[in-house]
Amino acid sequence: GTFDGLGFTISNLYINRPSQDYIGLFGYESSTSSIKNLGLVNATVTGKDFVGGLVGYNDFGTISKSYATGSVSGTHTVGGLVAYNWYGTISNSYASENVIAQDYLAGGLVGANRGGTIENSYATGNVTGKSGVGGLVGENFNGTISNSYATGNVTGQSGVGGLVGYIYNGTI
């Protein structure tokens, strides 16, 4: 189905599930769904793996004209807007969230972009993790990123980049 936020915002969303995976306002988005025109303001989202402000796991879904501000934290694959973008499309969206992954794959907008498309989007929050840490995307594997940028501080031990931490066969 389609979730159209009609330009409205959700303020002070609080999710604290540190032992659970696929955490976000939407834990999982499938190929037959789209999320658009929605803002999260001052969200605090905590989970284990696949933790995103808006979506934990985007499986071929579409996200457009959406944003999230606040903080997101987890163990691995953590993103300000989306944790894991599996062949999904994210466009005209942004995240201004502080992102913390205790282990690997942390991105200001997306933790891992695998085969997905990110366009006309940006991230401005600070990102911290151990490896695969990027201001916009932690890992870009066979994915495409265009007309996008990041401005936050990025801190990690290996595979650290202002835009993308790791890139494998992807296009920027």
Side-chain angles (χ1 to χ4, degrees):
T2 297
F3 185 92
D4 188 343
L6 300 173
F8 287 98
T9 60
I10 296 171
S11 297
N12 304 313
L13 173 70
Y14 179 79
I15 301 173
N16 186 21
R17 297 185 175 186
S19 62
Q20 293 182 319
D21 300 338
Y22 309 105
I23 302 297
L25 178 63
F26 297 94
Y28 183 88
E29 179 185 11
S30 73
S31 62
T32 58
S33 62
S34 71
I35 299 168
K36 60 185 178 180
N37 304 315
L38 178 63
L40 297 179
V41 177
N42 196 34
T44 302
V45 180
T46 303
K48 185 178 177 198
D49 302 333
F50 305 103
V51 184
L54 185 64
V55 176
Y57 193 108
N58 181 22
D59 187 8
F60 285 86
T62 302
I63 298 167
S64 63
K65 297 179 183 173
S66 296
Y67 67 90
T69 69
S71 64
V72 180
S73 61
T75 303
H76 80 74
T77 316
V78 181
L81 191 70
V82 176
Y84 195 84
N85 188 40
W86 178 257
Y87 289 92
T89 299
I90 299 169
S91 64
N92 303 306
S93 297
Y94 73 89
S96 182
E97 296 200 290
N98 291 319
V99 175
I100 298 173
Q102 296 168 3
D103 205 349
Y104 57 91
L105 300 184
L109 187 74
V110 175
N113 184 42
R114 300 235 171 138
T117 300
I118 297 170
E119 56 192 9
N120 305 320
S121 298
Y122 65 91
T124 61
N126 298 322
V127 184
T128 303
K130 287 187 180 173
S131 65
V133 185
L136 187 72
V137 175
E139 175 193 68
N140 187 45
F141 186 87
N142 289 331
T144 301
I145 299 170
S146 63
N147 298 321
S148 299
Y149 67 91
T151 61
N153 294 318
V154 181
T155 306
Q157 298 172 359
S158 65
V160 179
L163 189 66
V164 176
Y166 290 129
I167 184 168
Y168 303 98
N169 299 321
T171 302
I172 299 175

